[in-house]
Amino acid sequence: MFFSWLTYWTTAIMEWIVDYALYWLTGKTYLQRICDDYHQTERTIYIESKLSQVSNEVVRQTLKGDANANVDHAVVEICRAEGLSHTIEERFADNLRACLVQIHSVAAVIAHADRLRAERFTSENSEHEEALLELWSLLQPDVALTERMSKQWTDIGFQGNNPATDFRGMGYLGLLNLIYFAKHRTAAAQRLLLHSQHPTIGYGFALAGINMTSLVLELLSSDHLQAYFYKECCGKTVTLQDLQDVFCGLFEQFDRFWIAREPENVMAFNAVRSDYKLALERSLRTRFAWQLSEEEFAAVTS
């Protein structure tokens, strides 16, 4: 405990000394230096990290993706705290605003996704039931579902005759992501469904998709995926569709990863998923990309 406390305060004091020295040498605050010295992606990451320590409620609302947040007010508050005029320091204010817009929109999407995840799938909800039947019709357009409670659900990768029980961990979001995949990447969804039905290296398509939703949220909660959005969605507001597009890409890539690993049976799913997640985290940390390069892919599948 004592050494942890000592390390914390030693680090904090050293950071303060370095920051003060750089301010004395350059005449610029920490945030000004970030805006001047880094490109957009790194700039946004560093600004988010620095502002996470701020107690100002206007700024905190922006960082949390609050619907009532006002980015322009946050810029004014930050400039005031930095001892700057947002009208005189126009370039700094513009760079700061661009970063805050990205931070706010990504945080808002995360909050939206988390609300959908927390929405428990229930058969009593007609909207949920209609969505479930839509998933069947998208994946099995030429096969009629004989009844709502049916073993047919196992054909698309659910565990039993009632898919409702499989959504417990990811709630309504798990279903919406599967529908999005089947609707917007139909050919890919049908290809993965066929792969999942392989007699030796098959897997549960729907269950794997729900698991990929969980993986996306894990990457977000550990801050690995935010940098990707800061890089790829520079200058535009991030939406839930952007998150669902990543889900689709991860699911397709996992299918390829699974096949390349040639697992003995579906019991290897958790181990393969763990290796896949580690490879994703390395790629996101070093290149801000979830698409594994051929070298990265070969390194973890050979």
Side-chain angles (χ1 to χ4, degrees):
M1 178 67 74
F2 172 77
F3 288 107
S4 297
W5 177 87
L6 182 63
T7 301
Y8 171 81
W9 283 107
T10 300
T11 302
I13 291 170
M14 289 302 299
E15 287 178 352
W16 182 86
I17 292 172
V18 171
D19 188 47
Y20 183 81
L22 288 173
Y23 176 75
W24 185 79
L25 289 169
T26 66
K28 297 178 181 178
T29 67
Y30 178 80
L31 291 181
Q32 282 180 297
R33 295 196 302 272
I34 290 174
C35 285
D36 287 347
D37 299 341
Y38 292 92
H39 293 296
Q40 182 67 39
T41 305
E42 291 88 350
R43 182 188 301 159
T44 305
I45 292 170
Y46 283 122
I47 285 178
E48 181 181 30
S49 176
K50 181 66 174 179
L51 294 181
S52 65
Q53 307 166 32
V54 173
S55 59
N56 184 291
E57 187 58 27
V58 174
V59 177
R60 293 189 67 80
Q61 283 184 331
T62 300
L63 297 182
K64 293 188 297 184
D66 195 305
N68 298 317
N70 188 311
V71 171
D72 288 327
H73 286 177
V75 171
V76 172
E77 291 291 319
I78 293 167
C79 286
R80 182 182 297 128
E82 293 284 292
L84 307 170
S85 168
H86 68 284
T87 54
I88 296 175
E89 298 289 341
E90 185 176 353
R91 180 168 175 267
F92 169 71
D94 287 344
N95 286 335
L96 179 62
R97 182 180 294 104
C99 292
L100 290 179
V101 166
Q102 284 192 295
I103 293 169
H104 176 265
S105 68
V106 170
V109 167
I110 294 173
H112 185 191
D114 199 51
R115 287 193 298 271
L116 291 171
R117 179 204 58 77
E119 183 177 338
R120 185 176 67 88
F121 181 94
T122 172
S123 298
E124 285 73 42
N125 187 316
S126 59
E127 180 182 341
H128 290 184
E129 281 294 295
E130 288 171 9
L132 183 60
L133 294 177
E134 181 184 12
L135 177 65
W136 175 269
S137 64
L138 287 168
L139 292 175
Q140 300 283 63
D142 301 322
V143 180
L145 184 66
T146 57
E147 55 185 336
R148 167 60 180 80
M149 304 289 280
S150 169
K151 273 291 185 182
Q152 284 178 284
W153 290 111
T154 61
D155 295 340
I156 59 173
F158 288 104
Q159 290 187 95
N161 63 356
N162 184 14
T165 60
D166 294 331
F167 292 112
R168 280 173 296 192
M170 290 296 107
Y172 193 33
L173 179 65
L175 175 56
L176 291 180
N177 279 354
L178 285 170
I179 290 173
Y180 184 89
F181 186 34
K183 182 180 292 184
H184 295 277
R185 302 198 188 184
T186 305
Q190 291 293 339
R191 183 178 69 254
L192 265 62
L193 179 61
L194 183 62
H195 292 171
S196 74
Q197 296 168 342
H198 191 278
T200 55
I201 58 170
Y203 56 88
F205 173 86
L207 290 176
I210 294 169
N211 202 289
M212 289 301 104
T213 290
S214 175
L215 179 57
V216 169
L217 296 185
E218 288 170 30
L219 293 173
L220 285 171
S221 66
S222 60
D223 297 335
H224 283 93
L225 197 53
Q226 280 88 327
Y228 163 78
F229 287 119
Y230 294 155
K231 177 184 177 184
E232 296 299 321
C233 299
C234 180
K236 84 177 191 74
T237 300
V238 180
T239 67
L240 183 64
Q241 181 176 331
D242 294 311
L243 190 64
Q244 291 178 312
D245 284 334
V246 171
F247 159 79
C248 294
L250 289 183
F251 197 178
E252 288 186 66
Q253 186 172 242
F254 176 78
D255 174 76
R256 182 181 167 217
F257 191 92
W258 173 266
I259 292 172
R261 289 291 292 267
E262 298 181 341
E264 290 186 10
N265 52 56
V266 75
M267 298 302 292
F269 187 91
N270 287 339
V272 174
R273 181 197 189 274
S274 179
D275 290 344
Y276 180 54
K277 180 183 176 183
L278 288 174
L280 288 173
E281 289 175 340
R282 282 193 295 269
S283 183
L284 286 164
R285 188 167 52 248
T286 57
R287 300 190 297 110
F288 307 135
W290 57 261
Q291 300 97 329
L292 301 181
S293 67
E294 288 304 314
E295 292 77 12
E296 290 170 330
F297 193 92
V300 288
T301 57
S302 58

